[in-house]
Each structure stands twice: as structure tokens, then as C-alpha cells.
């Protein structure tokens, strides 16, 4: 069964986000762990948490993905920026784990001039102060497009981060189709080759989620601009091959396309129809 969802706003609450997920014919969802472009987060009441869990059980929602805020840069060499990032990842792992959310994903960060290796060592140290052996949630490193001094545009960098942490079994990967395409991995003409490369460097057993996005920007542009499914440079047929690939089809897919809830409902219905009626 295709497990697919989109990013849901939790402005109206966690239970409402789960309810809206069901309403748009999705069977999983992604939420921000806190304000995506700030520092504040919502404290959930016990009643709201119980309602959220009841909806998850009743509708058998697939693995839910929390997304750390964009303001968090664990690769930074600036003391205040880095300290903020360390606090955010530590707090948000604990908060999302307490909700029983299966995965939390974050952008590895940008080294902003200190160099890739120094940035990677900062990320490792930041994760080591945040991840515990007792937690159930898995922390996912996201594949990136490589804009500016961004880390994570090549699989080898993600491997170095994961192998450097104290509890590597608590760290997995989220593959973003827009990002890898923009980074120079040709999922349009050589999807099998990209998957084989991922397996060789990282191992397919580490892949726990896919951000299913088309790209407004050209191949290997190193620019991160998401497009609606099938309406960008990757295209409908290539994204369908991602959905149907034997190594990927049983993973949860999360749309981050520039649409509102009704647009996402139409997008999800279209995807389901094309998968069910090839």
C-alpha cells in the first residue's frame, strides 16, 4: 500500500493536523517540530495528545515525520548560532520522541566558511549531545542540493556524519528527490544507478523516508526550489518510477510541494490513481 502524505500545519493543533491528513486522503504526515523560521514551539495538552494518538490508531497512519526548523544550523562556526542549533535539536528530539513520532529530519547545515570537514565535526558533536540510547525516534539526515556552503549534497558527507556519532543506529537518511536531482544525481535517466550508489555508500537499510518533490530548477543546478509533482524538471514519469521502484515503494513518501490542503488532496488523488492504474 502506498504510504503518502504532505506537510501539515499544526497552527490549529496536532489533532487537527492529523484530522486534516485523513481529510485529504493522506495516510501519513510531516509536521514542523517548532516554528520553522523561529524558535518558539507549541506545548500540547494531554487531551490534544490523546486525540492525536486516537486518530493515528483509528486511521492506521504510517510513520509520522517531524521536520526541525530551517533556522537550525548545526554546521555553523558562529557560537550563538551553533548553541541555538544544539539546544533545538536536543529539545525537539525529546519532545517528538515523547509523542511517539517515528522520525525527525533536519537539514545538516551550512559551514558558512569554516570548511566542510569542520562543519561535519560540528554536526557530529551537536548530534552527540542530543541523541540518547534510550530514545525510540530516529534522526534523519536529509540529502541536500548543495547551494552555497551547504553540507549533505553528496552521500559520502552523510556517511561521515552518521559514522561519527556515538549512536549511529539512531541515525537514518531522508532522500529528497528535488535535492538529489539538483545536487547532480540523475534520477531521471539513471534512477537505478543513483539507488545503487546510495546503497554502496550508505546502505538502503538506512533510508527511512522520501521527500517527493519535483524541481523548478535544472539538473545539477545546486538550487533548492520545489515544484508540484510532475510539473518541474524531473517530470511525471521519473517521479512515478521513484514511487514504483522495488527498493523504494514500501517507504513513506512526503510531499513538500507549493500547494494548499485542497491542492495537496488533488495531488495525492492523482498520484494514487496513476499508481493504481498505470
Amino acid at each position: 500500500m502506498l504510504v503518502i502524505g504532505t506537510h501539515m500545519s499544526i497552527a490549529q493543533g496536532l489533532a487537527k493536523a492529523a484530522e486534516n491528513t485523513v481529510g485529504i486522503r493522506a495516510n501519513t504526515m510531516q509536521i514542523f517540530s517548532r516554528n520553522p523560521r523561529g524558535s518558539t514551539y507549541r506545548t500540547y495538552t494531554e487531551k490534544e495528545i490523546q486525540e492525536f494518538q486516537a486518530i493515528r490508531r483509528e486511521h492506521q497512519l504510517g510513520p509520522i515525520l517531524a521536520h526541525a526548523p530551517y533556522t537550525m544550523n548545526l554546521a555553523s562556526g558562529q557560537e550563538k548560532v551553533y548553541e541555538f542549533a544544539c539546544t533545538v535539536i536536543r529539545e525537539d528530539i525529546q519532545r517528538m520522541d515523547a509523542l511517539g513520532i517515528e522520525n525527525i529530519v533536519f537539514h545538516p547545515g551550512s559551514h558558512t566558511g569554516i570548511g566542510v570537514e569542520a562543519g561535519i565535526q560540528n554536526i557530529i558533536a551537536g548530534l552527540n549531545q542530543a541523541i540518547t540510547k534510550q530514545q525510540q525516534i530516529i534522526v534523519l539526515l536529509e540529502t541536500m542540493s548543495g547551494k552555497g556552503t551547504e553540507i549533505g549534497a553528496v552521500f559520502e558527507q552523510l556517511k561521515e556524519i552518521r559514522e561519527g556519532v556515538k549512536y549511529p543506529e539512531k541515525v537514518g537518511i531522508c532522500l529528497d528527490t528535488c535535492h538529489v536531482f539538483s545536487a547532480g544525481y540523475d534520477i531521471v535517466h539513471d534512477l537505478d544507478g543513483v539507488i545503487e550508489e546510495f546503497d554502496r555508500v550508505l546502505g538502503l537499510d538506512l533510508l527511512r523516508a522520501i521527500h517527493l518533490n519535483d524541481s523548478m530548477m535544472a539538473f545539477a543546478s545546486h538550487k533548492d526550489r520545489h515544484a508540484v509533482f510532475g510539473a518541474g524538471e524531473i517530470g511525471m514519469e521519473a517521479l512515478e518510477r521513484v514511487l514504483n521502484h522495488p527498493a523504494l515503494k514500501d517507504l513513506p513518501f512526503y510531499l513538500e510541494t507549493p500547494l494548499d490542503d485542497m491542492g495537496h488532496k488533488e495531488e495525492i488523488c492523482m498520484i494514487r490513481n496513476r499508481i493504481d492504474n498505470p
Side-chain angles (χ1 to χ4, degrees), residues 19-33:
E19 186 179 291
N20 290 344
T21 292
V22 175
I24 66 169
R25 287 198 62 200
N27 53 1
T28 186
M29 68 178 187
Q30 177 177 267
I31 60 170
F32 278 114
S33 56

Side-chain angles (χ1 to χ4, degrees), residues 96-109:
M96 297 300 103
D97 191 40
L99 290 170
I101 289 176
E102 290 89 344
N103 302 297
I104 180 168
V105 64
F106 76 102
H107 293 179

Side-chain angles (χ1 to χ4, degrees), residues 216-270:
M216 291 184 183
M217 310 307 292
F219 175 69
S221 63
H222 299 289
K223 295 180 180 179
D224 178 8
R225 294 287 302 279
H226 295 189
V228 172
F229 186 96
E233 295 294 320
I234 299 174
M236 188 79 72
E237 291 184 2
L239 288 173
E240 285 181 9
R241 287 195 291 272
V242 170
L243 283 161
N244 287 313
H245 196 283
L248 308 178
K249 64 184 181 64
D250 294 327
L251 292 166
F253 294 86
Y254 305 86
L255 293 158
E256 296 178 316
T257 49
L259 295 169
D260 59 15
D261 283 356
M262 285 303 97
H264 280 133
K265 181 176 182 178
E266 293 175 4
E267 189 176 34
I268 288 171
C269 287
M270 179 269 291

Side-chain angles (χ1 to χ4, degrees), residues 114-173:
I114 63 173
V116 171
E117 191 55 40
I120 286 176
Q121 292 308 311
N122 280 353
I123 297 167
I124 291 169
L127 290 177
N128 279 340
Q129 61 87 45
I131 297 174
T132 68
K133 192 173 184 178
Q134 292 73 32
Q135 73 189 45
Q136 297 300 308
I137 196 169
I138 301 298
V139 179
L140 305 186
L141 307 170
E142 183 167 346
T143 59
M144 302 307 297
S145 63
K147 60 182 179 181
T149 61
E150 201 171 58
I151 292 171
V154 294
F155 298 153
E156 285 81 2
Q157 291 174 357
L158 301 179
K159 177 182 181 180
E160 185 176 350
I161 295 168
R162 183 180 179 274
E163 290 186 345
V165 300
K166 185 176 180 180
Y167 301 113
E169 69 275 13
K170 301 293 185 180
V171 178
I173 307 295

Side-chain angles (χ1 to χ4, degrees), residues 30-97:
Q30 177 177 267
I31 60 170
F32 278 114
S33 56
R34 66 174 66 205
N35 184 334
R37 301 196 182 278
S39 61
T40 59
Y41 60 83
R42 186 184 181 106
T43 300
Y44 305 112
T45 65
E46 188 58 36
K47 181 175 181 291
E48 183 176 9
I49 293 172
Q50 289 177 0
E51 290 174 353
F52 164 64
Q53 302 296 7
I55 294 169
R56 289 178 74 181
R57 290 191 299 270
E58 179 184 354
H59 296 279
Q60 299 181 320
L61 297 185
I64 292 175
L65 182 60
H67 199 306
Y70 301 131
T71 49
M72 188 187 90
N73 184 6
L74 271 183
S76 177
Q78 299 177 35
E79 185 176 356
K80 287 186 177 180
V81 173
Y82 185 66
E83 287 179 355
F84 171 76
C86 286
T87 298
V88 168
I89 194 66
R90 184 175 63 250
E91 290 181 350
D92 288 10
I93 286 174
Q94 293 171 356
R95 290 171 49 247
M96 297 300 103
D97 191 40

